[in-house]
Amino acid sequence: MTSADYKIQPYSNETEIISIRPVRAVLSVVLIVVIVLDVVGNVLLILSVFRNSKLRNTGNFLVVNLSVSDLLIAVYHYPLTLRAMFFDGWTLAFHHCFASGFIMALSVVGADFSITVIAINRYFYICHSKIYSRIFNVKLTCCWLGLIWFFTFLALIPHIFFNTLQYDPRIYSCTLAQTVSLEFTFAAVIIHFVFPIIIVVVCYLRIWSLAVAAKNRVSQGSKEKLRAHALKHFFSIFVVFVIFAFCWGPMNFIGLAIAISPNKVAPNIPFWLFCLSYYMAYFNSCLNGVLYGVLNQKFQKEYIKIFMSLCTVFCAHVKR
């Protein structure tokens, strides 16, 4: 398969030909902003955990793993998508397209499974604090991280056999071709998105019910204060989950609809809706690092310290 196979086909509709350049320009700007925010936000989060001993706990190690997942897509997939926009088509060899699509899938599934394990972690930390240290000590947390990536790679093996990672000229990306194998598309949406979302929702509903019960108690001991502190941290990761579901939901539901009724759904999906669903999903990768800096005071303070340190180094360099 040559790079010519990936060239964008001409539009038959004249209005679409006129509108494609401004659309491409807007998408390029959006993607550049996403890349910058993704790299800066997630690098700040990772540095914060490793710089501050108070942030180095098993729960935040899982958050760091989520940031690593988000960084994967920013350092390889997004730049190649941006390149395709600049050249108005895919001009690289097939193996670059496959690698780009595979890393995108690796990042997405890894992030999805990471969010699931984070929810399980918070569930045990708040609802079953007595056994939390036995399930999420440092050693077992490393095992959890290993399982996340093991199942992530396992989930991506079918891509090799079904040849589902292909260039889509509508979004200038190598991604899952939803109509290549309807069975695989259906299974991917269920396993990669729906099933993890159900687990996360169940965990967070249990935490929420406990929070409501604790709030209704007249007196609270030290244990309740610990829960209140934990619930503040829970709020930030809950917002991360809600935004993740909101950003990735449209693309997954479109894929599910196509898998269920391809002849009726696929031809009738508007171009703008398809693009919007993908770029909403892309935008999510840059939000996690930013959200922790905004919603979590400990991360916020550490972000400021890192910025101040960088400013000090920069000013010292300029004075020389």
Side-chain angles (χ1 to χ4, degrees):
M1 193 174 291
T2 63
S3 60
D5 296 320
Y6 296 103
K7 190 65 178 175
I8 294 178
Q9 298 299 318
Y11 286 87
S12 58
N13 190 314
E14 187 175 344
T15 59
E16 288 182 315
I17 297 175
I18 294 172
S19 65
I20 191 65
R21 285 187 178 180
V23 168
R24 196 166 71 232
V26 171
L27 293 181
S28 299
V29 172
V30 169
L31 198 54
I32 290 171
V33 172
V34 168
I35 292 172
V36 173
L37 290 177
D38 191 326
V39 173
V40 173
N42 287 298
V43 167
L44 280 173
L45 189 148
I46 294 170
L47 286 176
S48 296
V49 172
F50 285 97
R51 276 169 48 98
N52 191 332
S53 59
K54 293 181 180 180
L55 292 174
R56 285 199 296 271
N57 55 62
T58 54
N60 283 339
F61 289 159
L62 296 172
V63 174
V64 167
N65 190 66
L66 176 60
S67 288
V68 171
S69 300
D70 290 333
L71 278 173
L72 282 175
I73 199 171
V75 298
Y76 190 77
H77 178 78
Y78 289 162
L80 292 188
T81 299
L82 201 58
R83 188 182 190 277
M85 291 178 184
F86 290 154
F87 285 94
D88 199 11
W90 193 267
T91 58
L92 299 173
F94 169 71
H95 67 272
H96 285 293
C97 181
F98 179 83
S100 176
F102 189 85
I103 288 176
M104 185 208 72
L106 188 71
S107 172
V108 171
V109 178
D112 205 353
F113 289 170
S114 294
I115 286 175
T116 305
V117 175
I118 288 172
I120 296 171
N121 174 275
R122 291 298 90 188
Y123 168 73
F124 278 99
Y125 184 73
I126 296 173
C127 300
H128 300 284
S129 56
K130 291 183 179 179
I131 62 172
Y132 174 78
S133 59
R134 296 204 300 267
I135 299 174
F136 283 98
N137 55 44
V138 175
K139 185 178 180 179
L140 286 179
T141 298
C142 291
C143 292
W144 279 100
L145 294 174
L147 284 174
I148 288 173
W149 290 109
F150 172 77
F151 283 111
T152 297
F153 277 101
L154 191 67
L156 299 183
I157 290 176
H159 283 297
I160 300 172
F161 298 101
F162 286 98
N163 192 29
T164 55
L165 298 174
Q166 299 180 10
Y167 178 72
D168 193 323
R170 293 172 294 179
I171 55 172
Y172 300 95
S173 294
C174 290
T175 184
L176 170 65
Q178 296 172 328
T179 56
V180 169
S181 173
L182 301 178
E183 294 81 5
F184 176 71
T185 299
F186 183 83
V189 173
I190 297 298
I191 296 171
H192 301 170
F193 185 75
V194 176
F195 186 61
I197 289 293
I198 291 173
I199 295 175
V200 174
V201 168
V202 169
C203 289
Y204 285 166
L205 283 177
R206 182 70 186 93
I207 293 171
W208 186 261
S209 64
L210 183 68
V212 172
K215 187 178 179 180
N216 290 334
R217 292 194 180 115
V218 178
S219 61
Q220 295 182 349
S222 59
K223 186 177 179 181
E224 301 302 334
K225 291 179 181 178
L226 176 63
R227 278 182 184 162
H229 172 73
L231 288 171
K232 289 180 181 179
H233 181 57
F234 159 72
F235 176 73
S236 60
I237 61 175
F238 177 73
V239 172
V240 167
F241 158 70
V242 170
I243 293 178
F244 177 87
F246 176 78
C247 289
W248 282 98
M251 189 187 77
N252 280 279
F253 286 128
I254 287 174
L256 194 62
I258 289 174
I260 293 173
S261 182
N263 295 329
K264 291 183 179 180
V265 176
N268 296 317
I269 297 175
F271 171 79
W272 67 267
L273 179 60
F274 184 83
C275 286
L276 180 64
S277 68
Y278 264 86
Y279 280 87
M280 281 178 64
Y282 286 174
F283 191 66
N284 176 256
S285 66
C286 74
L287 294 178
N288 294 333
V290 175
L291 285 172
Y292 274 96
V294 172
L295 299 175
N296 190 299
Q297 289 186 353
K298 290 183 179 179
F299 277 101
Q300 187 180 99
K301 290 178 181 177
E302 196 61 34
Y303 282 16
I304 294 172
K305 288 180 182 179
I306 293 172
F307 274 120
M308 294 299 293
S309 298
L310 290 174
C311 289
T312 302
V313 172
F314 178 76
C315 291
H317 181 73
V318 171
K319 288 180 180 178
R320 290 179 185 175

